[in-house]
Amino acid sequence: DSSPLFGAGRVEDTFNLIGHAARDLLASVAARLGLDLEEAARRSGIPLLTGQSLKAQLDIDWDEPKQRKAALSLLLEQVRSLMAFVDRELKAELEKPPLSERWATLQQVMVQDIEPDPEGGGPRIKHGVAKERRISVKDGEMRHGRKSKSSRVDGYKRHLALDVQTRIIVAAAVTPANRPEAEATADLLSDLERQRFRLRELHIDRGYLAAKEVEQQRARGVPIHCKAFPLHNGGRFTKADFRLDFEQQSIQCPAGQRLPLVLGQTAHFSASVCATCPLRAQCTTATAKGRSVHLHQQEPFFAELRRKQRTAEGRAQLRLRTPVEHGLASISRSQGRRARYRGVRNNLFDLRRHCAVHNLHVAASAA
């Protein structure tokens, strides 16, 4: 299972992100040339960075769109002046840290957040969010993620694997908050293999179902226990109401219409048949076509999960994963909700340290 870990780096909007990255670059330039910050800013043409606050230097009504646009143009004009100065005066130094790293960071935030205004009039802040958008200058690996539609996480996810019998944490991983849970599976299994643990069965959150490593374990005969993905259709018939016959490779709708079933494809019921079906209102709102049902490549496995979830025995199996949730809660109390370090590697070290302490407490209580 996983839980959010808010990053230690400061999350900033586009203006402050660009300004912060430019200020860091300017500081490196000043150090290389033996200048103070104000003199370096004057020579490189970026006086906006000489004050304590970029937005105070811009001094506009931030609720006024035209003023915001003019302020953005001014900031970018001065940032480009700084970049041209660096390219001219310190070109030979651009491959040496920290100048190289700060140069790359400034370029990254400029590209991800700025685009030409299609209506003319210069640049604008990019509409929508760039893939893998950097949200912090100081921690380049932090990302925006979501625990739910209304709950955003700025930072990371921590992942744990726990032995449900002993309650010992046996594996840990950290990923940026925007990455799906499935991407942590390989790291968790690698931890298990390194310690020579053998998997007898897996009790997992459904976010890990998409991992190819889970499918590989299932192919090896390891039982997988997991809640099925919920099926929604606005109160109308869902896929669970259709009869899926994987042996005969057919799908039958609640009204008895049958079609061939092909995994990984979508079954389309005839528009003419659906138009006269007495169950149409309970099945689809489509007017020009009939009902369609997508069959996942792993649909037999998903159907098995749904079937188990409808039984008392199956639900009892799902509850065996509760110790994992308790382990996450224990780590959250110990480590806290906010990371102490920057970057995936450092936060993974910190997570493993807290897992080791948790395991000592578990061992002591069992003694």
Side-chain angles (χ1 to χ4, degrees):
D1 206 347
S2 69
S3 67
L5 182 64
F6 291 84
R10 185 171 66 191
V11 180
E12 299 174 297
D13 64 14
T14 296
F15 277 91
N16 284 324
L17 200 64
I18 292 174
H20 191 168
R23 187 185 294 273
D24 281 356
L25 178 61
L26 182 64
S28 287
V29 169
R32 292 277 182 177
L33 298 179
L35 305 172
D36 61 38
L37 200 67
E38 288 194 6
E39 178 61 18
R42 186 189 68 78
R43 290 193 188 184
S44 59
I46 190 164
L48 280 174
L49 298 186
T50 57
Q52 289 188 343
S53 166
L54 171 66
K55 289 189 174 180
Q57 289 287 95
L58 288 167
D59 190 25
I60 66 167
D61 179 357
W62 291 97
D63 293 328
E64 173 53 51
K66 288 184 179 179
Q67 291 189 39
R68 287 201 311 270
K69 186 173 178 61
L72 179 65
S73 295
L74 176 61
L75 171 62
L76 295 179
E77 178 185 339
Q78 294 194 15
V79 167
R80 292 189 181 105
S81 174
L82 168 64
M83 296 178 78
F85 177 84
V86 173
D87 190 50
R88 183 175 64 252
E89 301 294 330
L90 293 169
K91 192 174 185 67
E93 306 290 318
L94 277 177
E95 294 184 0
K96 301 176 183 178
L99 191 66
S100 59
E101 297 161 356
R102 293 176 174 182
W103 173 266
T105 297
L106 180 56
Q107 288 184 315
Q108 180 184 3
V109 297
M110 293 272 285
V111 169
Q112 73 178 16
D113 281 4
I114 303 300
E115 66 182 2
D117 190 337
E119 298 179 1
R124 72 174 187 185
I125 294 176
K126 188 174 291 186
H127 286 195
V129 179
K131 186 178 181 182
E132 296 300 325
R133 179 179 181 268
R134 183 172 184 149
I135 62 175
S136 172
V137 169
K138 292 302 183 184
D139 188 345
E141 294 182 279
M142 285 174 53
R143 293 294 182 267
H144 286 314
R146 292 210 169 267
K147 186 172 175 62
S148 66
K149 287 185 178 180
S150 60
S151 177
R152 194 178 79 182
V153 179
D154 298 326
Y156 301 95
K157 291 178 185 174
R158 53 190 160 199
H159 308 259
L160 297 182
L162 181 146
D163 183 274
V164 295
Q165 291 181 332
T166 64
R167 306 197 174 212
I168 292 290
I169 296 173
V170 294
V174 171
T175 60
N178 67 332
R179 306 314 303 158
E181 276 77 3
E183 290 191 8
T185 308
D187 289 338
L188 293 172
L189 291 178
S190 177
D191 266 7
L192 293 177
E193 291 172 7
R194 186 173 64 252
Q195 298 171 83
R196 299 185 180 179
F197 286 108
R198 184 174 63 85
L199 278 177
R200 290 187 301 188
E201 54 186 41
L202 271 175
H203 298 260
I204 61 175
D205 180 84
R206 58 188 167 218
Y208 300 89
L209 273 178
K212 67 178 185 299
E213 292 83 4
V214 170
E215 176 60 20
Q216 290 167 354
Q217 292 296 328
R218 193 170 71 88
R220 292 170 187 159
V222 175
I224 309 295
H225 305 290
C226 178
K227 281 187 177 180
F229 287 109
L231 299 172
H232 301 294
N233 191 25
R236 294 175 292 276
F237 293 137
T238 68
K239 190 188 302 184
D241 296 303
F242 286 69
R243 183 180 177 187
L244 307 178
D245 190 330
F246 299 107
E247 289 187 4
Q248 298 298 319
Q249 296 186 326
S250 68
I251 175 172
Q252 181 177 308
C253 78
Q257 297 297 318
R258 191 185 297 267
L259 286 179
L261 181 155
V262 182
L263 297 180
Q265 296 188 16
T266 301
H268 297 279
F269 288 86
S270 167
S272 59
V273 172
C274 288
T276 58
C277 177
L279 301 179
R280 178 184 178 83
Q282 297 172 253
C283 191
T284 182
T285 58
T287 55
K289 55 186 179 181
R291 174 66 187 269
S292 60
V293 179
H294 180 70
L295 289 312
H296 194 277
Q297 195 67 43
Q298 297 184 46
E299 198 63 50
F301 174 47
F302 294 161
E304 178 187 352
L305 295 181
R306 290 194 291 270
R307 180 185 59 77
K308 287 182 177 179
Q309 202 167 314
R310 291 193 293 267
T311 68
E313 182 183 356
R315 291 191 293 272
Q317 279 185 330
L318 293 177
R319 288 193 290 272
L320 292 177
R321 199 175 65 89
T322 301
V324 185
E325 297 170 352
H326 292 169
L328 271 173
S330 172
I331 294 299
S332 295
R333 287 192 299 271
S334 170
Q335 188 181 27
R337 298 178 72 243
R338 184 165 297 279
R340 297 179 62 190
Y341 303 101
R342 298 169 184 161
V344 167
R345 181 181 175 86
N346 289 338
N347 282 307
L348 176 58
F349 167 79
D350 191 46
L351 175 59
R352 284 176 169 162
R353 180 175 61 169
H354 285 274
C355 289
V357 173
H358 165 90
N359 288 346
L360 289 174
H361 284 296
V362 172
S365 64

